[in-house]
Amino acid sequence: MSDRAPQPGHAQPEPPRTPTPRPGGRSARVRADVVAATLAEVTARGYDGLTVDAVAARSGVHKATLYRRWGGVDGLVADALTASADQVWPLPDTGDLGQDLRRITREVFAVFTDPELGSTPTALITAAQRSDAGAAALRAFFAARHQQAAAVAERAVTRGELPPGTDGAEVVRAATAPLYYRLFVTGEPLDARAAERAADAAALAARAGLFAPTGD
């Protein structure tokens, strides 16, 4: 029996789902342990080697609980992304849009190219692309991150550096998209200069009004 789709008796497996545990207390501790175990397992073994049995053994949470609350490995991957999106992302505030975007892209570059830290987010994103539940969680993760980071562009609008109505989330997408393209699409090397160039290009486009309403 595959632990990706448990089939007790003749019942059909439920689709992967992301749990909604109560904040605080034992439920939060269980979720934290399961998320940590999922991240460790997917980093070590990848999506194809990720199993509910291994996450149960590493987290100390019974396999039946994992199936009941997460539905299988796809639900575990999805919730690991959801938990990551909930973490606070400290944003730069240098007083200059270009410098703020450079710091954001440098951070993305630093995280994904770090010999010790980079393997976990890389493995998690790669695993998320392998299932509908994971892909949906990945979209939600990036949407949340872009919306949070939009503050750097919104502050630039307030300073008069950008046109009114500039879509801050789109500015951040434009700055970071070239990095993820290299990391997960083409596999081309990513260096610090490429990260800075992506930030500079997004800043120039934003100042030119490409992310502001056109009035059409």
Side-chain angles (χ1 to χ4, degrees), residues 3-143:
D3 63 7
R4 294 180 185 276
Q7 300 183 15
H10 298 287
Q12 293 298 316
E14 296 181 3
R17 56 192 178 277
T18 300
T20 54
R22 297 185 306 274
R26 182 177 182 279
S27 182
R29 291 194 298 272
V30 167
R31 185 194 185 201
D33 290 343
V34 170
V35 166
T38 300
L39 292 174
E41 287 295 318
V42 80
T43 301
R45 308 176 191 280
Y47 177 82
D48 290 327
L50 180 64
T51 67
V52 172
D53 282 343
V55 172
R58 187 183 285 266
S59 66
V61 177
H62 197 278
K63 183 167 65 173
T65 300
L66 298 183
Y67 281 127
R68 184 176 67 254
R69 288 180 52 178
W70 282 269
V73 296
D74 292 338
L76 291 169
V77 169
D79 196 41
L81 277 163
T82 300
S84 297
D86 292 340
Q87 296 177 3
V88 177
W89 185 16
L91 294 172
D93 187 5
T94 65
D96 177 80
L97 175 68
Q99 290 302 314
D100 285 348
L101 292 178
R102 276 193 170 204
R103 292 195 179 187
I104 288 173
T105 58
R106 284 172 184 160
E107 181 180 353
V108 173
F109 163 74
V111 168
F112 281 94
T113 59
D114 187 283
E116 296 182 0
L117 301 178
S119 56
T120 294
T122 299
L124 183 59
I125 290 176
T126 301
Q129 295 171 324
R130 299 284 298 277
S131 73
D132 291 342
L138 185 61
R139 288 191 296 271
F141 169 82
F142 278 118

